[in-house]
Amino acid sequence: MMGGQAVHFCGAYEVPMTSRIRNQHVLVAGGAGFLGSHLCDRLLAEGARVVCLDNLLTGSLANLEGAFCHPHFEFVQADVVSSLPRTLTRRRFDRIYNLACAASPPLYQANPEHTLMTSVLGTKHLLDLAQEKGARFLLSSTSEIYGDPHVHPQPESYWGNVNSTGPRACYDEGKRCAETLSFDFDRAGRGEVRVARIFNTYGPRLSAADGRVVSNLVSQALSQADITVFGDGSQTRSFCYVDDLVGGLMALMEHDGPQPGPINLGNPTELTVRALVDVVLELTGSSSEVIYRPLPTDDPKRRRPDISKAAAVLDWRPTTSLTQGLNATIDWFDAQARSRSAEAPAEVVALSA
Ligand code: NAD
Ligand code: UDP
């Protein structure tokens, strides 16, 4: 699969004839990750031809199992920090989604320089490609650009409170810089840009090893392991289910007309991390103990999106409740754990044979 063009066809697909996205040529950078793989699936279901570009740093080919079955899907393994592979520069693209960047704090802090360059150089390379192809470009920015916010909930007009020298800065400042590049590109008339500021999103395909709160809590609860709460658990977040979020990304990409500016996408239902633990324990029926660990440096105390702009401009709002979304997530993590344990004995036999 290295170098791309690995295409498998596993069955027939019905494509809605009315879809605007039908036959669009779309590049999804970061498409093997949690959000990107769901986006690839949705675009394919709407009739698009999708090329996924990913270095598999935090994503996985397993996330693309369904996409690989589709005749209009291709995978190219490459790092957006480097010049883009020639196989891409020879292609037609109508839309370019840039989702490439590790999003989990422990993972994006593991190699901070690479994280920063992924947002800065990666966005520049993809914007250049968008200009060359005349493609509309969407940047997946983040609520982290608001830092530890002094304004609550956070509207797009808030400029944020980011520590530019702390351990989260490689991500936060990288995304802020990527926003700057994107809006300068748009202002210069080099192409059309859309910027989504994504708030905490969860769902199936979050990696159990990812380190984010929902994946940690659900996998700990299901395995009856201790539940790790960082700090006293009074910090808040607002969690959006992945299907809602992907719908928002696509609505923003397809929004025509003058530059709408950055748009928050997220679910405004806010709760403390400690309250989230209680919901997960209740839904899983787990008897895990809750243990407390130090709060990471610069961990934002409160976060909740003001989504009135998304509602007004895109007519978009999330519809999945936390209970519905967590139940779907728990079912998926449970199925993953069962399939791993079903495979384990065969491996032991093979090793001892
Ligand atoms: P993820 O880590 O699951 O996916 C990121 C993908 O990008 C992975 O497949 C990874 O291998 C790939 N990638 C990383 N660096 C790359 C590079 N240099 N070149 C090529 N590919 C690279 O994370 P996610 O949750 O799916 O997030 C996707 C995007 O959405 C990210 O840009 C993230 O900043 C943004 N976002 C996500 C959330 C969230 O809650 N999930 C919130 C805010 C913003
Ligand atoms: N968190 C926690 N336990 C964990 C993982 C995270 O209490 O096992 C906390 C973390 O300190 C933060 C919140 O949950 O306050 C959300 O963390 P996550 O890494 O998911 O996202 P982010 O901090 O980037 O919003």
Side-chain angles (χ1 to χ4, degrees):
M1 248 148 303
M2 186 80 95
Q5 275 91 44
V7 179
H8 308 271
F9 181 61
C10 314
Y13 280 77
E14 274 194 31
V15 170
M17 295 298 287
T18 53
S19 170
R20 172 181 179 170
I21 290 156
R22 186 176 161 78
N23 292 331
Q24 269 183 7
H25 291 238
V26 184
L27 178 66
V28 181
F34 160 58
L35 290 181
S37 62
H38 284 280
L39 176 63
C40 288
D41 288 347
R42 280 277 282 278
L43 288 166
L44 289 166
E46 297 268 340
R49 295 169 180 269
V50 176
V51 176
C52 165
L53 166 69
D54 204 295
N55 66 354
L56 299 180
L57 180 70
T58 55
S60 104
L61 293 181
N63 287 339
L64 295 170
E65 215 178 307
F68 273 121
C69 287
H70 205 288
H72 294 157
F73 179 75
E74 289 176 35
F75 177 75
V76 176
Q77 187 169 347
D79 194 311
V80 294
V81 172
S82 312
S83 306
L84 298 178
R86 287 177 61 81
T87 173
L88 294 183
T89 53
R90 286 196 292 263
R91 307 289 296 259
R92 163 185 162 189
F93 290 115
D94 309 305
R95 301 282 187 262
I96 297 178
Y97 286 87
N98 181 12
L99 279 78
C101 191
S104 147
L107 300 186
Y108 71 62
Q109 288 169 29
N111 186 345
E113 185 178 331
H114 183 259
T115 299
L116 187 69
M117 291 307 139
T118 293
S119 281
V120 179
L121 290 178
T123 299
K124 183 191 162 21
H125 290 146
L126 291 163
L127 282 168
D128 286 345
L129 182 68
Q131 180 174 14
E132 198 182 312
K133 303 295 169 191
R136 192 181 282 173
F137 176 89
L138 183 142
L139 172 70
S140 65
S141 186
T142 170
S143 55
E144 296 280 340
I145 67 106
Y146 300 121
D148 192 7
H150 291 152
V151 172
H152 191 78
Q154 293 80 56
E156 291 85 352
S157 54
Y158 177 49
W159 288 358
N161 174 41
V162 171
N163 173 5
S164 63
T165 61
R168 297 175 84 97
C170 60
Y171 184 74
D172 304 4
E173 296 291 7
K175 291 287 187 177
R176 289 175 71 92
C177 185
E179 287 200 6
T180 306
L181 279 169
S182 302
F183 285 113
D184 280 339
F185 177 93
D186 190 283
R187 257 192 302 272
R190 295 172 60 194
E192 274 188 299
V193 157
R194 302 287 177 258
V195 173
R197 291 185 179 155
I198 304 171
F199 284 64
N200 297 65
T201 302
Y202 69 99
R205 298 189 196 155
L206 269 172
S207 158
D210 185 275
R212 280 179 271 187
V213 70
V214 172
S215 42
N216 275 7
L217 265 44
V218 170
S219 48
Q220 288 162 343
L222 287 174
S223 62
Q224 310 296 329
D226 288 344
I227 301 262
T228 51
V229 169
F230 299 164
D232 62 5
S234 62
Q235 69 273 34
T236 69
R237 295 292 187 272
S238 307
F239 295 96
C240 185
Y241 188 62
V242 62
D243 289 356
D244 288 335
L245 198 284
V246 166
L249 287 178
M250 290 168 67
L252 177 56
M253 178 63 108
E254 294 311 318
H255 175 73
D256 294 326
Q259 171 55 248
I263 297 208
N264 288 341
L265 295 177
N267 189 319
T269 308
E270 180 185 6
L271 78 171
T272 65
V273 166
R274 191 61 189 78
L276 176 68
V277 168
D278 288 338
V279 179
V280 170
L281 287 175
E282 190 190 328
L283 295 179
T284 52
S286 171
S287 50
S288 289
E289 297 292 322
V290 178
I291 58 168
Y292 292 85
R293 292 285 174 260
L295 191 67
T297 307
D298 295 338
D299 199 285
K301 284 181 264 319
R302 294 193 302 173
R303 186 182 292 152
R304 176 184 175 192
D306 176 339
I307 58 162
S308 41
K309 191 172 172 189
V313 175
L314 308 176
D315 193 23
W316 176 87
R317 44 192 75 68
T319 56
T320 311
S321 71
L322 186 66
T323 307
Q324 288 169 327
L326 279 177
N327 274 327
T329 309
I330 290 164
D331 287 350
W332 185 83
F333 271 80
D334 197 27
Q336 292 290 109
R338 282 172 201 278
S339 75
R340 274 195 305 273
S341 64
E343 282 164 16
E347 225 170 86
V348 173
V349 171
L351 284 174
S352 56

